[in-house]
Amino acid sequence: MEQDKWIEKVLNSTNGITEVTPEDTLFLKIKQRIREQETVSLKTVWLVAASIAVLVILNISILNSKSKSTKDATAVYLESTMSQSNQLYQ
């Protein structure tokens, strides 16, 4: 019961707050600052996208080549550990 009263008190604590009104010119100042900011050229965006694509392709190709070499090394090791009778365990 006491907890319910506390919850109601907290919820009703904002009832007396008055809304603040901003300056009339504030919105215009914000829009002007946004317009003044430098924009990135489309050429730069494409160059960044292309370089990211190249890096992703290089990483994938390196990962693929490493997995192939690991499989080959495993096969070579397995062949070298097998005896002449093709038995893994003696």
Side-chain angles (χ1 to χ4, degrees):
M1 189 65 150
E2 193 172 309
Q3 185 178 8
D4 292 336
K5 287 181 183 178
W6 179 78
I7 291 172
E8 283 298 318
K9 184 179 177 183
V10 170
L11 289 175
N12 294 329
S13 66
T14 59
N15 288 344
I17 296 177
T18 59
E19 187 175 318
V20 178
T21 54
E23 290 182 30
D24 294 334
T25 59
L26 181 63
F27 186 63
L28 293 175
K29 287 179 184 178
I30 292 172
K31 286 175 80 174
Q32 182 180 358
R33 278 195 184 166
I34 291 172
R35 271 189 246 122
E36 289 174 358
Q37 289 181 348
E38 293 182 23
T39 58
V40 179
S41 70
L42 191 58
K43 181 180 178 181
T44 305
V45 171
W46 280 108
L47 286 173
V48 169
S51 63
I52 289 173
V54 167
L55 287 174
V56 167
I57 291 170
L58 283 174
N59 283 332
I60 290 171
S61 65
I62 288 172
L63 287 174
N64 284 339
S65 69
K66 283 193 176 197
S67 67
K68 286 179 185 176
S69 65
T70 304
K71 288 177 186 176
D72 293 341
T74 305
V76 168
Y77 176 74
L78 182 62
E79 288 173 4
S80 67
T81 56
M82 290 175 61
S83 67
Q84 294 294 337
S85 63
N86 290 331
Q87 296 294 320
L88 285 173
Y89 303 104
Q90 293 182 3

